[in-house]
Amino acid sequence: MTEKTYDLVIVGGGCAGMAAAIAAYDSGLRSIVIIERSPLAGGVLRQCIHNGFGIQQFGRDLTGVEYADAFLNEVTKRHITMMTGTIVLEITSDRSVLACGSGEMLLIRAGAVILATGCRERPRGALLIPGSRPAGVMTAGCAQRYLNREGYLVGKKIVILGSGDIGLIMARQFVLEGAEVSAVCEIMPYSSGLTRTIVQCIEDYDIPLFFNTTVTRIIGDKRVEAVMIAEVDKDRRPLPETERRIDCDALILSVGLIPENELAIQAGLAMDKATGGIAADNTLQSDTEGIFACGNALHVHDLADFAAAEGALAGRCAASYVKNGRSPENKVVRTEAGFGVRGLVPQKIRLPLEESVRIQFRPASRYTDCRVVIRSGERVIASLKKPILTPGEMFIREIKAADIDGDIRVEVVL
């Protein structure tokens, strides 16, 4: 076994992990390593040939591949060590990292660790759809990889279950490749995708989108032949009298993302049930000193630029920790999600703050003509009128340090 020592180990070479490395380097650290299990850094961006990336980060409209390369170029310019094709097996609370790559085991001692492990798609097994297991049932990300990286169209007549962004983007791409998208079925009364994605990928191409509708059965032996779909009641239970058959040769699942946090759980880090991610403070440090989290490992983002910005914050904070240790604190302020608020981040705020803290959450449902009210203790520090809130888009608000003097509570007021 080979032993190494680095000031900072970053697990995951997607946009958040690379942004963290760049920010840590620019903050004065030089002993940095990014560990990435794929042969090339960039994560899922490597299969995203559509544009819409990089507007905030680089001021340019890039494809996912170009966006990944832009970060990789910055990492390369700084001569930051990158271990690709390397799998992290274990992280301990004392910041020891056990990894395997290039036929050898590595034990890395780290001054700080950033988990930027991303997320994975929710599979068919989590949905309990009756029927056999024929070919042609796959996640939207899998179909995207087949099409964009392998050049293989997974079907000619397609049904998509769920209205996540990847599924909506693939619906458009299937049409452009000459396939027919017979239906996009969403069990909720609203889409979980961004509004702009719904318009550009569904409405502009006249693709049928059915709300309050789900797939009740998969039909087919060796290959998908059809699916049964049905409307659902207010408790999301299928209504048998509405069931109907749609012939298809592929069922694409776009039913949500799950933070990839097996390493964090194994290390005993505190997790947040609402986000499925690591519980962290305003510096993105977990409850285990010296271990930080960012990007989709912390909570699933709607835009890659937001994940990258969060990675940069984690990099700066981890660099400060390595150089100075944990800052002394006078008080820890908790954050609480009230009505209409799901997955509030961060879970706690360490005082004193230098400037401000960014509060983020996803609405629990779709709300119109409402307000987001933020309290510190009993005092209202922000009341923001919102014409519409939707779960597909993050709510983000900066709170000034001077406004925080007690626990933070965020709620939607109708």
Side-chain angles (χ1 to χ4, degrees), residues 245-263:
R245 174 182 171 124
I246 297 183
D247 293 333
C248 62
D249 60 2
L251 173 63
I252 307 301
L253 307 177
S254 181
V255 290
L257 301 170
I258 306 167
E260 190 82 70
N261 275 322
E262 281 70 18
L263 287 171

Side-chain angles (χ1 to χ4, degrees), residues 323-380:
K323 292 188 289 186
N324 307 313
R326 174 172 274 182
S327 300
E329 60 192 44
N330 297 330
K331 185 178 181 182
V332 173
V333 170
R334 303 288 173 177
T335 62
E336 179 185 356
F339 174 81
V341 173
R342 185 178 66 190
L344 186 61
V345 176
Q347 285 76 19
K348 58 186 175 183
I349 300 168
R350 297 185 181 277
L351 301 179
L353 283 174
E354 289 185 5
E355 294 181 3
S356 63
V357 62
R358 175 175 287 189
I359 296 290
Q360 303 179 68
F361 71 87
R362 287 185 184 273
S365 185
R366 187 177 186 274
Y367 306 109
T368 57
D369 296 324
C370 59
R371 285 186 176 274
V372 176
V373 177
I374 304 174
R375 290 182 172 84
S376 179
E378 297 301 317
R379 186 168 56 90
V380 173

Side-chain angles (χ1 to χ4, degrees), residues 284-297:
L284 304 185
Q285 188 166 198
S286 70
D287 65 335
T288 300
E289 186 171 336
I291 300 181
F292 298 75
C294 63
N296 289 339

Side-chain angles (χ1 to χ4, degrees), residues 218-261:
I218 299 170
I219 300 169
D221 184 13
K222 292 184 178 180
R223 178 83 194 189
V224 175
E225 298 173 5
V227 296
M228 301 298 293
I229 70 170
E231 296 175 20
V232 298
D233 63 18
K234 60 181 178 62
D235 297 315
R236 298 199 288 277
R237 292 175 299 193
L239 299 167
E241 66 274 16
T242 68
E243 196 172 47
R244 62 189 177 96
R245 174 182 171 124
I246 297 183
D247 293 333
C248 62
D249 60 2
L251 173 63
I252 307 301
L253 307 177
S254 181
V255 290
L257 301 170
I258 306 167
E260 190 82 70
N261 275 322

Side-chain angles (χ1 to χ4, degrees), residues 200-217:
Q200 294 172 359
C201 298
I202 299 299
E203 295 178 4
D204 286 355
Y205 289 83
D206 295 322
I207 296 171
L209 172 58
F210 302 110
F211 293 117
N212 299 304
T213 302
T214 192
V215 171
T216 56
R217 189 155 55 97

